[in-house]
Amino acid sequence: MTPGAMLALQAAAIETLQNNVPIMAAVSGIYDGPPPRPAFPYIAIGDGVSTDWSSKTARGRDLRLVITVWDDGSVPGRLHSLMQQVEDAVPTLNRDLDGWHVASLVFVRSFVARDADGPWAGMIEHRVRVLQS
C-alpha cells in the first residue's frame, strides 16, 4: 500500500535534514511534531496541508511542507542562520518519494515569531506538488 503523500514527503524531509552534517551539528534533534522537554535548538516537522492536485490520468497532491526551527537564544541570529540552512537543504530532497514523485518544489515563505517569555520559532514553508508513482 502506498503511504499518504504527506507522510512520504515528511519522511523525505527528515532524511534530508538528518543527512545534512552542518544542520545536525547545530541542533539537538529533528522531530515529527513538538517533542516533550527538548534541548534547544531543535527542528520540528509540522503536519502541513494537503489539497488535491490530480489530473485526468494521475492522482496528485499539492502539499505544504512546514518546518519550524526552535531556539531559546537571547537574540535571533543563530535562529536565522539555521533557518537559512534548512531553506537551502529542502530543495535537495529526493524527488522519488515512497509511492510519489515530486513534480515541483517551491519556497513559499518564512517568518520568525516569539512569545515574550518563550523561545523563538522560525517557520519555513514550501509548496510541494507530487504525483502518485
Side-chain angles (χ1 to χ4, degrees):
M1 177 179 215
T2 301
M6 184 60 76
L7 289 177
L9 176 61
Q10 289 173 336
I14 290 169
E15 179 182 5
T16 297
L17 296 175
Q18 287 177 336
N19 289 333
N20 186 299
V21 174
I23 290 174
M24 290 308 296
V27 300
S28 65
I30 298 170
Y31 303 95
D32 185 9
R37 299 182 298 282
F40 292 97
Y42 70 91
I43 295 173
I45 307 294
D47 290 336
V49 176
S50 174
T51 57
D52 185 50
W53 193 64
S54 299
S55 68
K56 289 182 180 182
T57 59
R59 184 174 177 213
R61 293 289 180 265
D62 185 325
L63 309 170
R64 295 299 171 114
L65 175 64
V66 180
I67 300 172
T68 305
V69 181
W70 292 91
D71 191 17
D72 64 349
S74 58
V75 295
R78 178 172 68 175
L79 175 72
H80 284 286
S81 176
L82 284 168
M83 289 175 65
Q84 187 61 56
Q85 289 177 53
V86 169
E87 187 179 324
D88 291 344
V90 169
T92 70
L93 69 81
N94 188 346
R95 300 302 174 117
D96 291 314
L97 309 177
D98 189 6
W100 301 85
H101 178 76
V102 175
S104 71
L105 190 154
V106 178
F107 170 79
V108 175
R109 65 182 169 164
S110 67
F111 69 87
V112 174
R114 182 180 192 188
D115 183 313
D117 297 324
W120 297 94
M123 186 206 77
I124 304 111
E125 181 178 352
H126 286 83
R127 184 189 74 223
V128 184
R129 290 180 172 162
V130 297
L131 294 170
Q132 193 167 28
S133 308

